[in-house]
Amino acid sequence: MRLIGSLSSPYVRKVRIVLAEKKLDYELILDNPWTPDTQVTAYNPLGKVPCLLLDDNEALFDSRVIVEYLDALSPVGRLIPPPGRERVEVKRWEAAADGIMDAAAAMFLEAHRRPQGLQWADWLARQESKIQAALSYLDTLLGEQAYCMGVNLCLADIAVGTALGYLDLRSPTLGWRDQHANLARLAEKLDARPSFISTRPPAA
Ligand code: GSF
């Protein structure tokens, strides 16, 4: 398998952590979807990374589809429960975590890619309020539990850990740990896992 992605993308990181937890081999093809010579448009009409190329050249996107495929590939360390209530709850954790990444990525683009005079302050504030609300929601949901769904690591933890790592990368001034001690405890535990490859400083 080949994974098209960039090192700063949290969605790509989520997929790479799942690949590591599942002990699956792959080749990483670095690609910046924002450059004119990006390869990803040949495989994903939306022009976004991550994109997983299977050995028969079939392409899978987006990250939620890819992780579901990867989890079903091998029984090693199941990350997504079988169909039913528990599975839906894992998917809801993932949806909330992805939503944090969506809002943080949107804020980064608005603040660092759009010319200063054209930036929309209300819209930036709206994205930040989504992040704050989702963090409070997830912190309460986690409570004193060891992991998102109880005693075992699953996709929910990987998604949440990836979202928190992305906040550290792109929004370090947010200080999310101050108000969310439960999530901070989870992040510390997750970051100690070898599968949780570190986030790199943002590309220039
Ligand atoms: C989001 C992928 C995405 O926005 C997923 O895979 O889960 N829902 C999708 N990827 C960004 C890079 S990043 O912000 O992580 C991307 O490829 N953007 C290029 C573009 O043209 O929007």
Side-chain angles (χ1 to χ4, degrees):
M1 287 181 294
R2 288 170 294 157
L3 179 69
I4 306 180
S6 68
L7 295 175
S8 57
S9 166
Y11 314 95
V12 172
R13 183 169 181 245
K14 179 174 65 165
V15 169
R16 293 181 70 202
I17 293 170
V18 167
L19 281 157
E21 288 287 343
K22 301 286 294 182
K23 304 194 187 321
L24 293 166
D25 286 331
Y26 67 104
E27 181 193 345
L28 179 64
I29 301 175
L30 289 177
D31 188 286
N32 179 348
W34 296 101
T35 56
D37 61 345
T38 176
Q39 290 178 40
V40 79
T41 42
Y43 302 100
N44 176 356
L46 302 173
K48 295 185 181 196
V49 294
C51 182
L52 185 73
L53 304 183
L54 306 183
D55 293 340
D56 61 4
N57 246 349
E58 188 78 43
L60 295 184
F61 55 87
D62 60 3
S63 67
R64 292 191 215 182
V65 173
I66 296 172
V67 295
E68 178 141 6
Y69 172 75
L70 294 174
D71 194 45
L73 262 191
S74 124
V76 174
R78 287 315 285 246
L79 296 170
I80 307 176
R85 175 70 182 258
E86 222 186 315
R87 180 188 184 92
V88 167
E89 287 180 19
V90 169
K91 293 285 192 175
R92 183 179 59 185
W93 279 95
E94 186 184 24
D98 279 14
I100 291 175
M101 300 184 221
D102 293 346
M107 286 182 75
F108 178 79
L109 291 174
E110 185 73 11
H112 298 280
R113 295 288 180 263
R114 196 183 290 275
Q116 211 156 19
L118 298 177
Q119 288 173 19
W120 187 3
D122 288 354
W123 193 79
L124 274 167
R126 185 176 169 88
Q127 301 309 316
E128 185 170 335
S129 73
K130 288 180 196 299
I131 295 173
Q132 297 290 8
L135 287 172
S136 298
Y137 169 85
L138 294 178
D139 194 70
T140 304
L141 206 55
L142 178 61
E144 302 294 318
Q145 299 185 115
Y147 292 103
C148 298
M149 292 294 291
V151 290
N152 294 316
L153 176 113
C154 72
L155 177 64
D157 304 284
I158 295 174
V160 170
T162 307
L164 298 174
Y166 191 60
L167 292 180
D168 286 338
L169 181 72
R170 293 297 199 212
S171 311
T173 56
L174 208 63
W176 63 267
R177 284 177 181 77
D178 299 345
Q179 305 290 323
H180 307 101
N182 296 329
L183 290 177
R185 179 177 36 83
L186 177 68
E188 197 176 337
K189 192 161 31 179
L190 294 176
D191 285 338
R193 295 179 80 87
S195 64
F196 270 66
I197 43 166
S198 70
T199 42
R200 278 183 13 132

